[in-house]
Amino acid sequence: MIKKYEVLNNVQKAGIVAVVRGNSADDAYKTSVACVKGGVKAIEVAFTAPHADQTIAKLTEKYADDDSVIIGAGTVLEPVSARLALMAGAEFVVSPSFNKEVAKMCNLYGVSYMAGCFTPREAQIAMEYGVDVVKIFPAALVGAKAISEFKGPFPQMSIMPTGGVSLDNLSTWFDAGAFVVGVGGQLVGPAKTGDYDQVTENAKKFHEAFAKLNA
């Protein structure tokens, strides 16, 4: 199997992608480790965090022997950040909106690109440029019904709702056909006060809830 499809398969198995921002490189690193410790093993380190590429490199090294842990980059807005992420070892790249040059960069290096889209036109253009997963963002504004509406004209589309996913509505998103979900504050919020143990507890709850959906 081609590497990027192995990664996509592992991301789908993980079910939950932790969106990690952090106010420092150390904070982002500790938050990511806390998520993995709790069972959420797909990590999206956002480029809003200082030195995100260094955090990605550090996490990639830490989990080099654990194929179940997938480290990616988030909030990648342009190709320079994309290349920094890829050189640091990011296994997937996520953007809040679609960028053609980022798509080309990811295609060049054989890495999955997950791009934010909000309209059918945006989604179609993204898929034409090889986007593997369409990120519906912010998902809270459209609700789970948006997945079936998108899949009407685009049945082949893999969708990752992000923004508004919680433990309470997790099953709703997957019942609607989500490929995977992205979770930020509901999962990693306690890291803002340095409570990484609570991040781990939140991760356990999300992991267990996802596992029950697939039992």
Side-chain angles (χ1 to χ4, degrees):
M1 185 182 291
I2 297 174
K3 174 65 174 178
K4 84 169 196 174
Y5 295 114
E6 290 180 358
V7 170
L8 279 172
N9 187 49
N10 285 337
V11 169
Q12 186 178 28
K13 286 180 179 178
I16 313 293
V17 175
V19 182
V20 177
R21 297 197 181 279
N23 49 35
S24 69
D26 185 58
D27 179 36
Y29 176 78
K30 289 179 178 177
T31 303
S32 300
V33 172
C35 287
V36 174
K37 185 178 178 181
V40 174
K41 297 185 176 183
I43 307 296
E44 174 192 330
V45 180
F47 262 69
T48 51
H51 310 295
D53 59 321
Q54 295 177 23
T55 301
I56 290 169
K58 191 174 179 181
L59 289 167
T60 299
E61 182 178 2
K62 178 177 176 63
Y63 297 109
D65 296 326
D66 188 347
D67 291 337
S68 68
V69 178
I70 317 102
I71 307 300
T75 320
V76 176
L77 306 180
E78 27 65 40
V80 173
S81 296
R83 179 167 169 77
L84 283 172
L86 296 176
M87 293 303 99
E91 296 183 280
F92 63 93
V93 170
V94 186
S95 298
S97 59
F98 172 68
N99 182 282
K100 294 178 181 178
E101 298 307 315
V102 172
K104 291 178 182 178
M105 182 70 69
C106 290
N107 286 336
L108 179 63
Y109 288 96
V111 172
S112 291
Y113 181 33
M114 306 175 184
C117 299
F118 204 66
T119 68
R121 179 59 179 155
E122 290 175 349
Q124 180 173 334
I125 293 173
M127 290 192 296
E128 287 172 357
Y129 276 83
V131 164
D132 298 292
V133 178
V134 169
K135 169 183 170 179
I136 296 181
F137 175 79
L141 296 184
V142 293
K145 185 173 173 54
I147 295 179
S148 61
E149 295 297 333
F150 269 102
K151 281 183 171 289
F154 307 113
Q156 74 279 21
M157 184 187 295
S158 294
I159 296 175
M160 177 174 70
T162 304
V165 178
S166 66
L167 280 170
D168 291 337
N169 62 27
L170 188 67
S171 61
T172 302
W173 290 107
F174 282 106
D175 288 345
F179 175 80
V180 67
V181 298
V183 185
Q186 293 283 329
L187 171 57
V188 303
K192 291 182 179 180
T193 59
D195 193 350
Y196 302 109
D197 288 339
Q198 186 58 52
V199 172
T200 296
E201 289 304 309
N202 289 350
K204 287 179 181 177
K205 292 176 182 177
F206 271 98
H207 176 66
E208 289 169 1
F210 177 70
K212 287 180 180 178
L213 294 176
N214 294 273

